[in-house]
Amino acid sequence: MTENSLTHGSEASEVLARLHELRTLDAPTHGGRVLAYVYDSGIDDLDRLASEAAEAARPLNGLDPTTFPSIATMERDLVSFVRRALGGDDRRIGGRVVGSVTSGGTESCLLAVKTARDLWREANPELRLTLAREDRRPRLVVTSTAHAAFHKAAQLFDLDIDIVPCEVDGSVRASSIISRLGDDVALVVVSAPAYPSGAIDPVSEVSQAALTLGVSCHVDACFGGLALPWWPDTPAWDLRNPGVTSISADLHKFGYAPKGTSVLLHRGRTRHRKQFFATTAWAGYPVVNPTLLGSRSVSPTAAAWAIAHRLGAAGYQRLTASCARSATAIEQAVREITGLTVWGNPTGPAIALIADTSLPESERVDPHHLADEIAQRGFQIQHQPGVTQANGVRLPHSAHLTITPVTEQLLPEFIAALRDSAVAVRGTPQASATVSLAAMRALGYSEDRAPSPAAAWRILRLVGAAPKLPKGPGGGGALPQKMAPLMALAEYLPAPVARALLTELLARVSER
Ligand SMILES: Cc1ncc(COP(=O)(O)O)c(C=O)c1O
């Protein structure tokens, strides 16, 4: 297959052969070797079922469930399944819970914010004007460990983001969040659990305070929302708290569905309906969209629906038990690795590894070197740069592990690889960004001045962080083998510069 086929076409068999060849370059999506991005149940027939269900729904358009009523049935089932799992069935707690199927975590978070913002605007017309006169907007209160989707939401929906600093261990005090609440807050967000740390935020205290003050409160359970209901010893983190006004849980994570499906639930129809966009003010068909997209694929919904029916709550419980056993075993193993430790107190299927700073540098295990090293041994864990918060407290750089049911199949091998990798990198300090930082300053880039795309690309090449780009119609661009130096740039360069470099890196990967 050549560039030519995009002009003249080619045989289906050739196209598919090419796709399968391209796929050999990808990280393995099954088998537990990639501990981020993918959620493998380990049940083969579930994948087959998902594929068949997705194929059955492939020609549909989610734009209109009245023309294709199967969509409405599937969405009803999924919403009620998730509502029950998330403690939302008891109408005595704050009334009826209703919701929508969205395309993923980011869309659920965006819609939770948009809905709360619109309700706030409606309830506070005068305060809105007062804030505007002071060049302020209503606030979106989040923690440092809240997902970046909320930063995106604040940008898109014109809110001021107010980030509550976490403690060094990644936890956040309820009082720190509550002290930020006021009548100019459109929404406060707590996570269950937070992706970077795996910790559950103080949902009960914060949602209770929000209820008292009349502030909307969203629980972001996109990551763990379909594992925590069956996880041992969890606090009440969900709709059992009457002050929780909305909650999100991704079917394409621990729901084991293919990418493209999540559920967003609201307390009360009034709130839910604010999520919708509806108009008759154009020359075409009346547009009524519960979510951000117009035409949308129903395949992920159909796959999620099939999986939820196949597994039932009992199936999710079994799969979650496996994740919980692996999490306990990994935490135990890490405790025995000198120089490495688990960040804070995770509850659920995410664990972050950090260097044990109670030991001298020569005995510490840097998590990013560890991640690079374990990649050589066939496992991918995810680099998370550290972050210096507004109060000066630095949250450490770490390596994230998403623990799925297949983790258990490879547990002895994974733990051995962790131990061996730790031995290999023990004492190697965090990659330095000092030279790049000095070079950036010399070039005049700073908090106030970001490089252009061309300059960003030159810098990436200069510091050896540019992806290798294929010549001609090859596979996608490959990132440098060692990610630790790139992550140090992300952590230490002025934020606008780091953003420009990372944007350029990703844009170039898909550019020809
Ligand atoms: C807690 C949390 N919220 C939101 C998201 C965004 O989800 P998505 O990547 O499906 O858009 C994630 C993704 O990891 C997450 O962990």
Side-chain angles (χ1 to χ4, degrees):
M1 251 180 93
T2 62
E3 182 81 342
N4 235 355
S5 54
L6 286 178
T7 311
H8 304 292
S10 55
E11 293 301 320
S13 58
E14 267 183 82
V15 177
L16 284 177
R18 178 71 183 127
L19 176 58
H20 290 303
E21 189 188 326
L22 288 176
R23 289 280 287 105
T24 61
L25 302 173
D26 293 336
T29 53
H30 287 75
R33 294 198 166 269
V34 178
L35 286 93
Y37 308 116
V38 288
Y39 302 78
D40 181 5
S41 69
I43 305 172
D44 287 345
D45 86 345
L46 217 54
D47 267 2
R48 272 192 297 277
L49 175 68
S51 296
E52 280 183 34
E55 174 54 22
R58 186 180 47 75
L60 296 175
N61 187 348
L63 179 61
D64 189 357
T66 64
T67 303
F68 309 112
S70 66
I71 302 170
T73 305
M74 290 188 279
E75 294 196 344
R76 269 200 306 273
D77 281 4
L78 285 170
V79 165
S80 65
F81 172 67
V82 174
R83 176 173 55 207
R84 173 166 300 172
L86 271 45
D89 264 359
D90 188 347
R91 286 194 206 177
R92 286 166 306 174
I93 309 174
R96 174 191 273 273
V97 171
V98 286
S100 304
V101 174
T102 75
S103 66
T106 298
E107 192 180 24
S108 287
C109 297
L110 293 179
L111 286 169
V113 174
K114 186 205 93 74
T115 303
R117 181 205 64 175
D118 289 354
L119 282 164
W120 183 94
R121 281 183 175 174
E122 202 171 83
N124 297 279
E126 280 171 20
L127 181 52
R128 186 180 169 198
L129 287 177
T130 311
L131 292 178
R133 275 195 289 273
E134 296 166 11
D135 194 25
R136 288 163 60 206
R137 286 143 289 274
R139 280 181 297 136
L140 173 62
V141 175
V142 301
T143 68
S144 296
T145 48
H147 196 272
F150 293 100
H151 297 233
K152 186 188 270 186
Q155 249 185 44
L156 288 174
F157 302 129
D158 201 28
L159 297 168
D160 286 339
I161 192 156
D162 186 4
I163 306 174
V164 182
C166 293
E167 306 297 305
V168 190
D169 69 357
S171 68
V172 59
R173 292 201 192 123
S175 58
S176 309
I177 305 178
I178 293 167
S179 66
R180 302 286 181 107
L181 302 185
D183 55 5
D184 64 332
V185 173
L187 181 69
V188 58
V189 176
V190 275
S191 307
Y195 185 87
S197 61
I200 299 181
D201 287 342
V203 176
S204 289
E205 295 95 317
V206 172
S207 62
Q208 183 55 52
L211 182 64
T212 309
L213 295 167
V215 172
S216 298
C217 175
H218 180 74
V219 174
D220 178 9
C222 282
F223 176 75
L226 289 166
L228 286 188
W230 302 284
W231 200 271
D233 304 325
T234 52
W237 53 273
D238 52 14
L239 289 161
R240 286 168 290 173
N241 295 286
V244 171
T245 49
S246 60
I247 189 165
S248 50
D250 290 356
L251 293 160
H252 69 198
K253 293 193 173 78
F254 286 92
Y256 308 105
K259 292 289 174 274
T261 180
S262 167
V263 167
L264 172 62
L265 301 174
H266 297 277
R267 205 181 286 286
R269 286 193 172 119
T270 306
R271 189 170 279 279
H272 178 236
R273 304 312 192 242
K274 270 278 169 262
Q275 181 192 298
F276 283 58
F277 171 82
T279 187
T280 50
W282 74 309
Y285 54 90
V287 168
V288 188
N289 298 149
T291 58
L292 294 173
L293 300 181
S295 289
R296 60 192 165 103
S297 169
V298 184
S299 287
T301 303
W305 176 86
I307 288 171
H309 278 286
R310 173 82 182 89
L311 288 177
Y316 283 101
Q317 182 165 24
R318 277 194 299 279
L319 291 170
T320 302
S322 164
C323 299
R325 285 193 296 272
S326 295
T328 307
I330 292 171
E331 284 196 51
Q332 178 65 33
V334 169
R335 245 177 261 131
E336 288 160 15
I337 297 176
T338 308
L340 192 66
T341 189
V342 169
W343 189 28
N345 288 302
T347 304
I351 293 179
L353 307 179
I354 57 170
D356 182 352
T357 49
S358 68
L359 296 178
E361 278 202 8
S362 60
E363 289 179 42
R364 291 181 199 165
V365 172
D366 179 82
H368 287 184
H369 291 314
L370 179 86
D372 285 343
E373 184 65 33
I374 205 169
Q376 306 297 316
R377 293 161 205 265
F379 288 98
Q380 288 190 25
I381 61 179
Q382 193 177 41
H383 303 70
Q384 301 189 123
V387 57
T388 302
Q389 306 178 99
N391 62 357
V393 174
R394 178 179 177 269
L395 299 181
H397 65 298
S398 61
H400 163 100
L401 320 181
T402 291
I403 294 162
T404 60
V406 285
T407 307
E408 199 168 26
Q409 292 171 10
L410 293 181
L411 206 48
E413 195 189 333
F414 176 65
I415 288 173
L418 262 186
R419 281 198 197 108
D420 294 347
S421 304
V423 170
V425 304
R426 184 169 294 125
T428 311
Q430 182 182 15
S432 166
T434 321
V435 176
S436 310
L437 201 53
M440 268 342 108
R441 291 221 179 90
L443 291 169
Y445 299 121
S446 64
E447 288 293 346
D448 304 316
R449 184 164 170 259
S452 67
W457 182 241
R458 273 198 300 279
I459 294 166
L460 283 169
R461 293 177 63 164
L462 213 64
V463 300
K468 280 199 205 71
L469 300 179
K471 295 203 170 46
L479 289 176
Q481 280 211 325
K482 297 226 180 278
M483 294 291 285
L486 180 62
M487 292 297 137
L489 291 183
E491 180 168 346
Y492 291 107
L493 290 188
V497 181
R499 283 199 298 265
L501 297 191
L502 294 172
T503 300
E504 197 53 29
L505 187 154
L506 202 69
R508 295 271 177 160
V509 168
S510 308
E511 208 173 77
R512 176 167 300 161

